[in-house]
Amino acid sequence: MGRDWQHLPPELLQVIGKRIPSLAVYIRFRAVCRPWQSSCSLRPDHLPVQLPWLMLPYRSDGSNDSTRRFYDLAASKIHELDLPETRGMSICGSSHGWLFLQKGQEMSLLNPITRATISLPPFPGPLSTFGINPENLFENRDANEYAISISPTDNFMVRKAILTSSAHDSSCRVIVFTYSKWSLAFCKIGDVCWKAIEFQSGYPWGGDFRDITYSNGFLYTVSPFAAVTMYNLDNRSKTLLGGGVNLTRIHLVEGVSGDILLIHDKPIYVNRFLKETKHTVYKLSNNGPEREWIKVIDVGQNVLFLGSHHNALSLSSANLQSPKWGPNCLCYDSIRKKWNPQERFDSWYNHNIKLASLDNETVTDITADLGRFQVNEHWQRSLWLTPSLL
């Protein structure tokens, strides 16, 4: 007589579940039957950080198709998830396993694995109604008293959004970096309004910032020419840390040890085809009064992941449990596109994923071609997501 597997003791199922390191395997384990599902937590805290998934581009102008495709590095396969919440939405970033959805002045969070959603404050009203001097708001005003806002006619678009911790953490803050007349703002989960961090009057498209990251309680911004500013969101102070390099195609990322890293990517074209992209990594020095960028070829246990459009992250190779993902390497979404001025913004390009060793500059293909996608304002760009049940 066969075993009645669905009636295993709950405490045994819990022990087995806590020994599963793979998110995908854990989900399948809970899905075996109702008793197994009820015995194991929906939001387990034992799972290590997972290898990221690459969300592939899709048409984002409101078509009926809500299927989103994610390439899973650990399983070497594409998952197709039905996410009607993303229909007609712009995805302006990912952080701690959550996607940031935006449509006009509305913004929300979505966990594509659990389908959980969290509403964020909208951006209402004209700024002039508050009588605020934008240049001095951060240093001279109480951020708890003044909510930021935009006019419906403003060219408002979130360029990047990040979480300071898991969205279920009571202290979690959402930080946005925009193209609009104000550049930076934040809120806590559950707040009813956003709070301005800094305004820039010289560049209405937010051109004084190239990228942002968050590390050890501080927000860091980098200018188009790699000057770094550090913000303390609690006492609303800011400190210019310097820079020392003249770079424009740059990505800011927090290293696994709290270091601030800068990734510079330089495209190499041959006969108008993008042949390859050369990456250089810099680390912000901690010594001396003038902190500056130092070029490095060894980033220790960091495995860097670089996507399109301000999407970058760093994971520890010690947590990835795979010999392929050793330290000191960079994984990136490679785009091959022929430059043709007659095509303008209706060009097409192909994706595949590559792995580069930073010390010897060798590059290997992780995937074959992942598909051919259009590049224009109606298409959502690719980005990395660390899948999570939290």
Side-chain angles (χ1 to χ4, degrees):
M1 185 175 179
R3 289 181 179 272
D4 187 3
W5 291 103
Q6 67 174 332
H7 291 114
L8 289 175
E11 57 270 20
L12 177 59
L13 292 170
Q14 292 169 11
V15 170
I16 296 173
K18 289 181 178 180
R19 291 179 178 270
I20 299 174
S22 166
L23 179 144
V25 174
Y26 185 85
I27 291 174
R28 290 196 292 269
F29 178 77
R30 288 188 77 249
V32 168
C33 59
R34 288 188 180 275
W36 289 31
Q37 187 177 77
S38 61
S39 297
C40 298
S41 173
L42 176 62
R43 300 213 306 254
D45 56 8
H46 76 278
L47 292 174
V49 176
Q50 305 289 299
L51 270 170
W53 294 2
L54 181 69
M55 187 192 77
L56 297 173
Y58 66 89
R59 192 170 180 89
S60 60
D61 59 349
S63 65
N64 290 327
D65 183 17
S66 61
T67 300
R68 307 296 171 236
R69 301 168 71 238
F70 296 82
Y71 185 84
D72 179 350
L73 284 172
S76 300
K77 63 180 292 186
I78 289 178
H79 301 292
E80 294 189 347
L81 305 183
D82 183 30
L83 299 174
E85 301 89 347
T86 64
R87 189 182 294 126
M89 306 292 285
S90 171
I91 298 182
C92 47
S94 72
S95 184
H96 293 270
W98 293 78
L99 297 174
F100 295 86
L101 309 183
Q102 184 203 351
K103 186 175 183 179
Q105 294 170 234
E106 301 297 323
M107 194 171 177
S108 61
L109 296 172
L110 168 69
N111 185 321
I113 309 301
T114 65
R115 294 283 300 280
T117 60
I118 297 175
S119 296
L120 297 175
F123 298 92
L127 178 66
S128 59
T129 60
F130 292 96
I132 299 171
N133 177 359
E135 294 297 329
N136 299 322
L137 177 67
F138 190 67
E139 293 99 335
N140 300 332
R141 300 283 182 168
D142 186 345
N144 292 317
E145 293 180 11
Y146 296 97
I148 68 157
S149 57
I150 59 169
S151 164
T153 60
D154 281 347
N155 179 25
F156 177 75
M157 182 183 295
V158 174
R159 192 171 185 176
K160 183 175 182 176
I162 57 176
L163 298 176
T164 59
S165 59
S166 168
H168 293 296
D169 186 340
S170 60
S171 64
C172 175
R173 285 166 165 161
V174 184
I175 303 172
V176 294
F177 160 36
T178 82
Y179 285 106
S180 70
K181 293 179 181 178
W182 52 272
S183 294
L184 293 166
F186 71 94
C187 71
K188 281 189 175 182
I189 301 293
D191 280 355
V192 297
C193 63
W194 296 86
K195 299 174 180 64
I197 299 175
E198 179 166 336
F199 293 81
Q200 300 293 338
S201 60
Y203 299 94
W205 54 90
D208 281 355
F209 301 110
R210 181 66 64 187
D211 205 354
I212 63 174
T213 194
Y214 186 84
S215 176
N216 294 324
F218 295 94
L219 172 67
Y220 294 83
T221 68
V222 63
S223 77
F225 298 102
V228 181
T229 303
M230 180 178 72
Y231 295 84
N232 185 324
L233 301 185
D234 292 324
N235 61 21
R236 301 177 303 282
S237 64
K238 65 178 181 178
T239 306
L240 182 64
L241 300 181
V245 292
N246 187 3
L247 304 172
T248 54
R249 293 175 59 96
I250 49 181
H251 309 263
L252 202 61
V253 66
E254 177 194 14
V256 295
S257 298
D259 293 326
I260 303 302
L261 303 175
L262 188 77
I263 306 170
H264 174 236
D265 58 287
K266 179 181 179 181
I268 300 173
Y269 292 90
V270 176
N271 296 326
R272 294 186 174 181
F273 283 92
L274 178 61
K275 180 181 179 181
E276 189 50 79
T277 303
K278 180 178 175 59
H279 299 95
T280 308
V281 180
Y282 297 81
K283 182 171 74 172
L284 191 63
S285 68
N286 292 316
N287 300 321
E290 295 294 331
R291 299 179 67 179
E292 59 182 4
W293 292 112
I294 300 173
K295 183 178 178 180
V296 294
I297 60 173
D298 184 356
V299 291
Q301 294 294 314
N302 289 283
V303 181
L304 304 176
F305 294 87
L306 184 61
S308 62
H309 204 57
H310 310 290
N311 175 234
L313 61 99
S314 176
L315 301 178
S316 170
S317 61
N319 295 333
L320 298 181
Q321 302 179 345
S322 173
K324 180 189 294 184
W325 303 99
N328 203 38
C329 60
L330 184 147
C331 181
Y332 62 99
D333 175 22
S334 176
I335 299 173
R336 297 190 309 282
K337 171 180 174 288
K338 182 178 180 180
W339 182 81
N340 186 339
Q342 296 179 342
E343 291 182 350
R344 301 178 66 191
F345 291 106
D346 293 323
S347 300
W348 293 79
Y349 58 87
N350 294 72
H351 280 266
N352 75 316
I353 300 173
K354 295 180 179 291
L355 185 66
S357 174
L358 294 175
D359 50 4
N360 58 26
E361 297 187 348
T362 59
V363 178
T364 57
D365 288 333
I366 297 296
T367 68
D369 235 328
L370 295 176
R372 185 169 180 257
F373 306 94
Q374 205 167 11
V375 53
N376 59 37
E377 67 272 19
H378 301 303
W379 280 75
Q380 173 66 47
R381 300 190 182 192
S382 63
L383 58 79
W384 291 106
L385 168 83
T386 48
S388 173
L389 295 173
L390 298 177

